Amino acid sequence: MAGEEIRNTQVIFRDYVSGFPKESDMYISTSATIKLKLPEGSTGSLVLKNLYLACDPYLRIRMQRIENPIVFTSFTPGSALNGYGVGKVVESGHPDFKQGDLVWGTTGFEEYSLITETAQLFKIHHTDVPLSYYTGILGMPGMTAYAGFYEVCSPKKGEYVFVSAAFSAVGQLVGQFAKLMGCYVVGSAGSKEKVSHNHPQYACIIFKCFQLQEEQDWDAALRRYFPEGIDIYFDNVGGKMLDAVLLNMRFHGRVSVCGMISQYNRDPPEGITNMINVIFKRIRVEGFATFDYYHLYPNFLEFVLPLVREGKIAYVEDIAQGLESAPAALVGVYSGRNVGKQVVAVAPES
Amino acid sequence: MAGEEIRNTQVIFRDYVSGFPKESDMYISTSATIKLKLPEGSTGSLVLKNLYLACDPYLRIRMQRIENPIVFTSFTPGSALNGYGVGKVVESGHPDFKQGDLVWGTTGFEEYSLITETAQLFKIHHTDVPLSYYTGILGMPGMTAYAGFYEVCSPKKGEYVFVSAAFSAVGQLVGQFAKLMGCYVVGSAGSKEKVSHNHPQYACIIFKCFQLQEEQDWDAALRRYFPEGIDIYFDNVGGKMLDAVLLNMRFHGRVSVCGMISQYNRDPPEGITNMINVIFKRIRVEGFATFDYYHLYPNFLEFVLPLVREGKIAYVEDIAQGLESAPAALVGVYSGRNVGKQVVAVAPES
């Protein structure tokens, strides 16, 4: 079988998007084929069978036409999307990977992917935890939460921490990391359904959380939850929430800017009008990129795996079945339909 | 004479201001008197004869009604303004100060001030430089430039530095500090007259500078002056300039937020729409307060005095004569009428 071409179902990016993405901005194609055997001399390449794909918020940025790419490049209309995923090596021309290895990293939104660039591919050594976790808590979002909280925020026990998008892949981890550290933690989430996950059955997700639509005035809500002000804001949403937070920061507060999901579909973005508080309260607002911290990945795994195994940290996933569900699952992330990390299961693990 | 009351001319704050301050928001009063002799038992207090007063931009903030003071308190309608100045001790009940001592620090906008709080008063030990410099390059603005540039920006030789309000008290120093360090420096200023001070006669003020009104599009101007982008932005103005700068920052750029003079008279302020670049380019935006760094004042003097004495640093002042000129001088700062640090000379030095 390995020598012949087989069908390779793909999620194709139709054309550049403005505003909110729709399911019809993607389509499922069954017309592509792939050879599972690498051509002679394909040193450094791999063929991957994709098992799980991550519906990461940043993918929206890649759906627009990016004239001067600085961090992200646009998807190519007519080609499959790509992003983070978990896969199994079907064939390897790379000395570090062998057939049957499990990996996570950048792959295609398709059944099988030919990977020619392995720099951002990590081998999975621990399989006593759900494999899908490597699209989340044990993968890029986990590293994002770890680097963005511990490295960027310099947190101290007892500090007042606010996390927006508190049940997102990253947000739920930041909240729990902060809680484990002995911080006072409050989160915000977009729906009641999300906040309902804030329940003892979810072990450690027991920080306070308020629901955005239930609050007329976010500044007032923050004042109620943080009468003493906020030391650390882990920003996943940007826009008006960031503006309200700036009013409620404490002296020498830190804002770790991880994402701005509320702004990705807006042109122009909402204006931030409370920047003067950055001076008054000597606030540090800092953006970061997870890939600047990947050298810490082994430290991170050593830290987080025991917490996962001992049930000291909970992790909520929203798993959609089959590549066909990918367009709806991805679009749902921007309307906040998912509860927990949105994953697409592409194929059975074995 | 010291025992009797003498007339004490004052600059009185009339009432809370919204929008741009006008001269009529202040008035000169000659009705107050002061005893130059301290009452028995006035331990820790001083009587100061004011020589120079600083028209610092932050005074505008204190002219509005501040409901929840976090850093600044409002001026009291009907009372004299206060701010930074240079004075001579007329009488002292404080063991660290004696009659005839020269000091700089917080004092009143009046001929004589009774100082009951000396924590923010610094003794002047070096008088071979102009005394008025202690309202500027050798005082709070000098410390602001020093701390805001060296401590907050972590500058490196060869980096690309942009300074707004480049001929303000702080801006002209940051530009020169950066230049002395071997950075590429560009400033912006509000008028041709200011930019004309960018002349070899001003020794070291030889960084490039563009005039705001001559540029239709600040983003385009910045792209022209910084084809490689900006590593460090020393922000004195906030608002639209900050927004344009965010588009032009380099990876791992730093924004030291010192002031937002373009926003002090606006309600609501201009919205900052390009915050997403903070993530894309991993920018650190940091506010600071000079008084957090006053422990470095001796280091600063040791650094800057030789530069001043050897003419390696230039400093432009705009000195208005007499307390009566204070309202116009202060108001002029917000329309950009001054060229260099705006000072009011209250009394002859001897």
Side-chain angles (χ1 to χ4, degrees):
Chain A
M1 164 184 137
E4 22 175 326
E5 297 202 345
I6 63 158
R7 197 195 64 184
N8 190 20
T9 306
Q10 297 181 302
V11 183
I12 304 290
F13 176 58
R14 194 183 299 271
D15 204 355
Y16 300 115
V17 169
S18 65
F20 277 84
K22 304 176 298 295
E23 285 186 45
S24 59
D25 292 321
M26 296 157 266
Y27 63 91
I28 306 298
S29 162
T30 55
S31 63
T33 58
I34 187 168
K35 276 188 182 160
L36 297 191
K37 191 138 193 79
L38 286 164
E40 286 291 321
S42 302
T43 319
S45 294
L46 301 174
V47 178
L48 215 57
K49 180 183 183 191
N50 295 310
L51 302 177
Y52 296 101
L53 293 169
C55 295
D56 289 315
Y58 82 90
L59 295 176
R60 168 62 185 84
I61 299 168
R62 304 188 58 199
M63 291 185 191
Q64 65 215 29
R65 189 193 294 271
I66 303 173
E67 302 289 352
N68 300 302
I70 43 175
V71 176
F72 299 113
T73 52
S74 300
F75 291 128
T76 309
S79 294
L81 286 86
N82 58 72
Y84 283 93
V86 169
K88 187 181 264 182
V89 177
V90 173
E91 162 109 359
S92 174
H94 192 292
D96 294 349
F97 298 90
K98 61 177 200 301
Q99 202 179 332
D101 277 353
L102 290 163
V103 297
W104 71 267
T106 305
T107 187
F109 272 49
E110 53 198 356
E111 287 179 282
Y112 295 93
S113 296
L114 173 67
I115 308 288
T116 54
E117 174 54 72
T118 56
Q120 295 264 321
L121 224 50
F122 297 83
K123 256 161 106 162
I124 294 174
H125 298 288
H126 307 277
T127 54
D128 59 324
V129 286
L131 266 187
S132 57
Y133 276 20
Y134 288 94
T135 65
I137 181 170
L138 302 176
M140 182 277 282
M143 260 310 293
T144 302
Y146 181 73
F149 183 62
Y150 293 106
E151 299 292 316
V152 179
C153 295
S154 322
K156 286 183 285 291
K157 186 180 170 179
E159 284 194 315
Y160 299 98
V161 176
F162 177 57
V163 192
S164 53
F167 292 96
S168 64
V170 175
Q172 58 177 305
L173 295 177
V174 171
Q176 292 179 86
F177 290 166
K179 194 85 191 164
L180 284 171
M181 200 169 181
C183 295
Y184 167 89
V185 188
V186 176
S188 64
S191 73
K192 268 195 183 156
E193 214 182 340
K194 293 183 188 197
V195 176
S196 73
H197 276 270
N198 191 12
H199 190 273
Q201 84 178 92
Y202 286 96
C204 307
I205 306 191
I206 49 168
F207 51 84
K208 287 186 191 175
C209 199
F210 63 93
Q211 200 230 314
L212 299 182
Q213 280 79 352
E214 279 179 0
E215 301 290 342
Q216 297 292 314
D217 176 342
W218 295 348
D219 171 32
L222 290 171
R223 261 183 284 134
R224 209 166 63 238
Y225 282 100
F226 293 98
E228 308 282 328
I230 299 166
D231 290 301
I232 290 174
Y233 173 43
F234 195 97
D235 189 7
N236 288 310
V237 302
K240 280 183 184 166
M241 183 56 89
L242 173 57
D243 225 11
V245 168
L246 288 172
L247 291 174
N248 287 281
M249 291 298 287
R250 303 182 85 193
F251 281 1
H252 300 288
R254 287 133 276 153
V255 177
S256 177
V257 192
C258 174
M260 293 197 170
I261 195 170
S262 75
Q263 303 302 301
Y264 299 159
N265 303 302
R266 280 174 187 272
D267 186 23
E270 289 170 327
I272 304 294
T273 59
N274 295 320
M275 284 298 283
I276 203 161
N277 290 281
V278 166
I279 309 181
F280 288 167
K281 296 168 182 174
R282 293 94 102 183
I283 299 169
R284 171 160 56 83
V285 178
E286 193 164 348
F288 70 99
T290 310
F291 44 80
D292 288 340
Y293 295 93
Y294 273 148
H295 60 283
L296 299 178
Y297 184 64
N299 312 35
F300 166 62
L301 271 192
E302 205 171 300
F303 161 81
V304 80
L305 274 171
L307 295 173
V308 173
R309 288 175 180 139
E310 294 162 25
K312 288 190 179 152
I313 206 159
Y315 187 65
V316 184
E317 291 180 307
D318 195 331
I319 302 189
Q321 295 297 328
L323 260 187
E324 296 70 18
S325 67
L330 182 51
V331 165
V333 167
Y334 305 102
S335 61
R337 204 164 56 198
N338 58 309
V339 177
K341 174 67 192 176
Q342 182 66 61
V343 181
V344 174
V346 182
E349 292 183 11
S350 53
Chain B
M1 166 185 136
E4 23 175 328
E5 297 201 346
I6 63 159
R7 197 193 65 186
N8 190 21
T9 305
Q10 297 182 303
V11 183
I12 305 290
F13 176 59
R14 195 184 298 272
D15 204 355
Y16 300 115
V17 169
S18 66
F20 276 85
K22 305 175 297 297
E23 285 186 46
S24 59
D25 291 322
M26 295 158 265
Y27 62 92
I28 306 298
S29 163
T30 54
S31 62
T33 58
I34 189 169
K35 276 188 184 162
L36 298 191
K37 192 140 192 76
L38 288 163
E40 286 291 319
S42 302
T43 318
S45 295
L46 301 174
V47 178
L48 217 56
K49 182 184 181 187
N50 294 309
L51 303 176
Y52 296 101
L53 292 169
C55 295
D56 288 317
Y58 83 89
L59 295 176
R60 167 63 185 85
I61 299 167
R62 303 189 59 200
M63 290 184 191
Q64 65 214 30
R65 189 194 295 271
I66 303 172
E67 303 288 352
N68 300 303
I70 43 173
V71 176
F72 299 113
T73 52
S74 300
F75 291 128
T76 308
S79 294
L81 286 86
N82 58 69
Y84 282 93
V86 170
K88 187 182 264 181
V89 176
V90 172
E91 162 109 359
S92 173
H94 192 292
D96 294 348
F97 298 90
K98 62 177 198 304
Q99 202 180 333
D101 276 356
L102 291 163
V103 298
W104 71 268
T106 305
T107 187
F109 273 49
E110 54 198 353
E111 287 179 280
Y112 296 93
S113 296
L114 174 67
I115 307 289
T116 55
E117 175 53 72
T118 56
Q120 295 264 321
L121 225 49
F122 297 84
K123 255 162 105 165
I124 294 174
H125 297 290
H126 306 277
T127 54
D128 59 324
V129 286
L131 267 186
S132 57
Y133 276 21
Y134 288 93
T135 64
I137 181 170
L138 303 177
M140 182 275 282
M143 262 308 295
T144 303
Y146 180 74
F149 183 62
Y150 294 106
E151 300 291 316
V152 179
C153 295
S154 323
K156 286 184 283 292
K157 187 180 169 177
E159 284 194 315
Y160 299 98
V161 175
F162 177 57
V163 191
S164 53
F167 292 96
S168 64
V170 174
Q172 57 178 308
L173 295 177
V174 171
Q176 293 179 85
F177 290 166
K179 195 83 192 169
L180 285 170
M181 201 169 180
C183 295
Y184 167 87
V185 187
V186 176
S188 65
S191 73
K192 269 194 184 156
E193 214 183 338
K194 293 183 187 197
V195 177
S196 73
H197 275 271
N198 191 12
H199 190 273
Q201 84 177 92
Y202 286 96
C204 307
I205 307 191
I206 47 167
F207 51 83
K208 288 186 192 173
C209 198
F210 63 92
Q211 200 231 312
L212 300 183
Q213 281 78 352
E214 280 178 359
E215 302 289 342
Q216 297 291 314
D217 176 343
W218 295 348
D219 171 32
L222 290 170
R223 262 184 282 134
R224 209 166 64 239
Y225 281 100
F226 293 98
E228 308 283 329
I230 299 167
D231 291 300
I232 290 174
Y233 173 44
F234 195 97
D235 189 8
N236 289 309
V237 303
K240 282 182 183 164
M241 181 57 88
L242 173 58
D243 225 11
V245 168
L246 287 171
L247 292 174
N248 287 280
M249 290 298 287
R250 304 182 84 194
F251 281 1
H252 300 288
R254 288 134 275 153
V255 177
S256 176
V257 192
C258 175
M260 294 198 170
I261 196 171
S262 75
Q263 303 302 301
Y264 297 159
N265 303 302
R266 281 175 187 272
D267 186 23
E270 289 170 328
I272 304 295
T273 59
N274 295 319
M275 284 298 285
I276 203 161
N277 290 281
V278 166
I279 309 179
F280 289 168
K281 297 169 181 172
R282 293 95 102 184
I283 299 170
R284 172 160 55 83
V285 179
E286 192 164 349
F288 70 99
T290 311
F291 44 79
D292 287 340
Y293 294 93
Y294 273 148
H295 60 282
L296 299 177
Y297 184 63
N299 312 35
F300 166 61
L301 272 192
E302 206 172 300
F303 161 79
V304 79
L305 274 172
L307 296 172
V308 172
R309 287 177 181 137
E310 294 162 24
K312 287 189 178 154
I313 206 159
Y315 186 64
V316 184
E317 291 180 307
D318 196 331
I319 301 189
Q321 295 298 328
L323 260 187
E324 296 71 18
S325 67
L330 183 51
V331 166
V333 166
Y334 305 103
S335 60
R337 204 164 56 198
N338 59 308
V339 177
K341 174 66 191 178
Q342 182 67 60
V343 181
V344 174
V346 182
E349 293 184 10
S350 55

